[in-house]
Every structure is written in C-alpha cells, then in structure tokens.
Amino acid sequence: MEIFELSEYKERLRKTKEKMQEKGLDILLVTDPANMNYLTGYDGWSFYVHQCLIVLLDEEEPFWIGRNQDANGAKVTTYLGENHIIPYPDIYVQSTERHPMDFVCDILKELGQTNGTVGLEMDTYYFTAKCFTQLQLGLPQSTFVDATSLVNYVRIIKSDKEIEYIRRAARIVENAMQTGIDAIEEGVRECDVVAKIMHAQISGTVEFGGDYPAIMPLLPSGERTSTPHLTWTDEKYKSGIPVILELAGCYHRYHSPLSRTVFIGEPDPKIKYLADVVIEGLNETLSSVKPGITCEEVEAVWRKSIAKSGFEKESRIGYSMGLNYPPDWGEHTASLRPGDKTVLQPNMTFHCIPGIWLDEYGVELSESFRVTETGIEVFANFPRQLFVKNSTKIY
C-alpha cells in the first residue's frame, strides 16, 4: 500500500539535507520513529529496541538500522533498497555486553564516515545516555552535535497529502468523541466507556479504518479533572461531576486531537461559568489565527480573553502536531505560548487546547487546525459546548 509517492519522500530528504548543510553536519542519526517514518515510510512497533536511520549528504537513500527480525518490516514499509536496510543480530538486544550503537559505529566505519560531524537527536524519548556514550567510544574522531529538532522542523509544514490524512483522522475523532459522550452515564464504569472509545478509534469509518493513537484516551472525572493527563479507572460514574475527554483520531500515524467536557446531572454553576470562559477564549483565539501572526501573538489573544473573567493560565495553549508515535502526538517544535516567535505559515497544523484546571475541577475544550492562506481550517466538526448528561437527555 502506497502511503506517499516516492517523490514526496525524496523532497523530504532533500530539505533535511539542506538543514544538515546549514548546521555543518556530515551525518545525521535519526532515532525518533516519527522522523524515521517521515523520511522513509518505516512503520512498526519496534521503537522499544534501538533503531535509527543514517542520513549521509552524498547518499541518495538513508540507511535503516534495526533489529534483525524487523528488517522485513523495513522492506515492506519503506522505499529503501535492500543494501540500505542493515539489521543487527539479536545479541545486541538488551545486552549488558554490547549495544546497538556499537553496531552503528561499525557500519559508519565501513562507510568511511569516522571523522565527520554527526548530528544526534539527543533530546528524544528513544535516544538514551548509553547511546551517546557508545557512539563517543566507537567514533572517537567524530564531532557530535545536538540535532534534536532538525527533521521535526522540516515536518512542520505539511503537504496536501498529509493534510488529507489529518482530515481523515478528524472524521475518526468525531466518531470517537460522540461515542464517548453517548456512553458516559451515571452508574457506567469509566473503563467501559473507554473501551467503546478505543473501538471507535481503531474501527474508524466505513470508508477507512483507524490507527492506534500516540496517546491513550484521557478521561479524568470529578476532582481528577483538576489535572489534564489522567486516563481512567474502573469506578462507576456518579451524578454531579464533570468528565474531560481528550482523544485523537489517527490515520497512517497522522493525528487530529480533540477535547470536550461533559457534566453528569444538573451542571454546577461554577463549572458552567468556567466552560463559558474557555469557549469564549477558544473562539477568540481561533479567530485570530492567520499567516504571518506569531505563536506568542495567538496565545496573547487567549490570555487577554480569560483575563476579563479574572483567570490566568501559565502553561502553553497549543503546539504543532501531526505524525507521531507513543508517547506523544505533538511534534516538539512550535508552541502557542509567550516567547515563541514562530511565524505561522499555510499548512502548519496545531492542537489548540486552552483548558483551565483549578484546584478541585477543570474544563477542557480543544480544536486541531490548519493554517490556511487566509486564516484557519478547523479539522473536526463537533459542537463547541459543555455537554450536560442526565438520565434522559444530552443538552
């Protein structure tokens, strides 16, 4: 199955090499699985062991290096020729005597790449301190440079095909969100609601199925809504509490996150008021988005809006998102927060999530959007409101 045309992968690699030259790199070691996917199409649940791409300025294709039993996965999912797929034997897997980066060093020696400047993704989930020490030991004549976000910033402006995949992910998250809201009732277990949500995320739509999201469904309830990143329990829902749902649809690893808040029973006036503040702020923030505005200018609109009601929020209100693997769907580049002077350009995609979490409760509503030539495209088509559930109605 062709995910992207070869020409698109070649263009991504060309832009990456341009960035390498600007940074003075001869070699780039790519260990982030999203960046590996972006440059070659590689897609497998193999990131729990060490794997990487070697990108050389004078090589037409990167070299994929990974565990021997995953090499056929590289043949199936990438465009790389067999001589650019180099597996290491299982003696390197979780061994105390040798390390996969020892193998990478040996390959670089075979390629005559032992004294150049090597870019490393040093601040990723998948590149460990041990990786770095073994590279230093194995390539003593090389110079190592932090290139953590190099490929990530190449990814920040999406192609039309990538945008189409995010739109499909949005159709999936619409279904998943509606499924979750419909299932939340007094007396229903939280885990049973999440089971239905995850079924909707994976089954997708009649036209296309879903992929596993990079983040599990986040569904804190009651006092737990005072913090955003809790999942679920096996407790039964009670009347008189809020429930936050933060979900994503995923299609070919491209995400469209969405969050909403539900109240079970007669809504607490304090939570209803907070929801009104969040919705107004989100609406005003989204209406400000256009090419040429900076990330910090977008955040300032939100800050000004909630200040009218006496609220403050220290954390960022959004971030660039799209292609990714667990544990995060964010791209780790631009953030909607003070000090980020990234200028918005067409086909940048963001998750704007200006929730407010107080000491005993919180409210979240979010939207994923694309910057267009003139403004904004919100990916999901879903009511922007506080959902109120009682025994007979959804308001």
Side-chain angles (χ1 to χ4, degrees):
M1 181 179 182
E2 185 179 80
I3 309 301
F4 294 99
E5 293 184 0
L6 178 59
S7 59
E8 183 157 343
Y9 288 117
K10 295 292 187 182
E11 179 63 12
R12 295 171 179 182
L13 186 61
R14 183 192 67 78
K15 291 178 179 178
T16 298
K17 289 182 177 181
E18 278 187 0
K19 296 294 183 183
M20 289 173 61
Q21 290 177 315
E22 290 173 10
K23 203 171 178 68
L25 303 180
D26 304 298
I27 305 163
L28 178 65
L29 294 187
V30 178
T31 51
D32 186 323
N35 292 338
M36 293 177 67
N37 178 299
Y38 184 76
L39 293 176
T40 68
Y42 181 69
D43 184 23
W45 193 284
S46 54
F47 42 83
Y48 68 96
V49 295
H50 292 294
Q51 57 184 16
C52 70
L53 297 178
I54 299 174
V55 181
L56 304 177
L57 290 175
D58 56 356
E59 276 285 337
E60 187 175 347
E61 297 179 1
F63 291 91
W64 177 94
I65 296 181
R67 190 178 183 182
N68 183 64
Q69 63 184 240
D70 296 315
N72 283 342
K75 294 175 185 177
V76 169
T77 60
T78 77
Y79 69 88
L80 301 176
E82 287 198 23
N83 61 335
H84 280 70
I85 297 173
I86 307 175
Y88 58 78
D90 237 49
I91 58 171
Y92 288 91
V93 175
Q94 298 165 1
S95 169
T96 58
E97 299 176 355
R98 56 190 64 82
H99 192 274
M101 286 301 159
D102 301 335
F103 185 86
V104 172
C105 290
D106 290 340
I107 296 301
L108 287 171
K109 290 172 184 176
E110 290 179 18
L111 295 170
Q113 302 285 341
T114 58
N115 58 359
T117 300
V118 184
L120 304 174
E121 296 180 323
M122 296 185 72
D123 192 21
T124 67
Y125 305 113
Y126 318 93
F127 186 82
T128 65
K130 186 71 170 179
C131 289
F132 187 41
T133 58
Q134 294 309 112
L135 287 169
Q136 288 179 308
L137 287 171
L139 299 170
Q141 295 178 309
S142 295
T143 301
F144 297 100
V145 175
D146 186 9
T148 297
S149 299
L150 188 149
V151 180
N152 302 60
Y153 274 100
V154 174
R155 289 165 45 196
I156 197 169
I157 297 178
K158 311 298 185 293
S159 69
D160 290 344
K161 192 75 171 286
E162 290 178 291
I163 295 298
E164 178 56 33
Y165 288 167
I166 297 175
R167 289 187 182 123
R168 292 189 178 193
R171 303 291 79 77
I172 294 170
V173 79
E174 290 165 356
N175 290 346
M177 183 63 73
Q178 191 63 60
T179 297
I181 292 172
D182 290 346
I184 292 172
E185 298 282 359
E186 182 180 1
V188 175
R189 294 192 306 172
E190 294 181 10
C191 54
D192 292 331
V193 171
V194 174
K196 292 180 179 180
I197 289 170
M198 294 182 71
H199 181 273
Q201 287 175 311
I202 305 305
S203 61
T205 72
V206 174
E207 293 79 18
F208 46 83
D211 206 340
Y212 60 90
I215 300 177
M216 286 287 103
L218 303 175
L219 271 87
S221 64
E223 188 177 0
R224 293 162 64 89
T225 60
S226 63
T227 185
H229 297 135
L230 302 182
T231 52
W232 62 88
T233 73
D234 62 355
E235 295 295 313
K236 293 180 179 180
Y237 288 112
K238 300 175 182 178
S239 183
I241 62 168
V243 182
I244 286 174
L245 301 91
E246 183 179 348
L247 320 171
C250 184
Y251 183 77
H252 288 322
R253 307 304 325 138
Y254 284 84
H255 293 77
S256 184
L258 182 70
S259 65
R260 290 293 186 267
T261 301
V262 172
F263 197 89
I264 304 173
E266 187 63 27
D268 185 311
K270 296 182 298 183
I271 293 177
K272 190 175 186 306
Y273 177 70
L274 182 59
D276 290 340
V277 171
V278 172
I279 292 167
E280 180 181 4
L282 177 57
N283 288 339
E284 292 181 8
T285 302
L286 294 175
S287 68
S288 74
V289 174
K290 59 184 177 181
I293 196 171
T294 64
C295 285
E296 67 175 359
E297 289 172 330
V298 173
E299 192 275 344
V301 173
W302 158 261
R303 187 178 294 265
K304 181 179 179 181
S305 178
I306 65 172
K308 294 181 298 186
S309 304
F311 289 101
E312 296 181 359
K313 175 182 165 71
E314 293 184 2
S315 58
R316 65 182 181 174
I317 64 162
Y319 44 83
S320 181
M321 62 82 203
L323 165 68
N324 225 326
Y325 287 81
D328 188 19
W329 54 51
E331 288 183 328
H332 303 179
T333 51
S335 290
L336 303 178
R337 63 183 170 197
D340 193 321
K341 301 185 185 302
T342 302
V343 177
L344 301 193
Q345 300 178 54
N347 274 18
M348 287 184 174
T349 55
F350 287 84
H351 181 211
C352 182
I353 180 165
I356 295 179
W357 303 278
L358 303 179
D359 288 341
E360 296 180 352
Y361 60 90
V363 169
E364 271 187 42
L365 285 95
S366 77
E367 299 286 1
S368 294
F369 68 84
R370 171 178 78 95
V371 181
T372 69
E373 296 291 342
T374 56
I376 187 174
E377 172 192 351
V378 176
F379 284 115
N381 180 17
F382 205 85
R384 205 173 292 165
Q385 66 185 64
L386 174 67
F387 289 86
V388 179
K389 297 290 295 288
N390 62 24
S391 59
T392 58
K393 297 180 181 177
I394 302 176
Y395 294 95

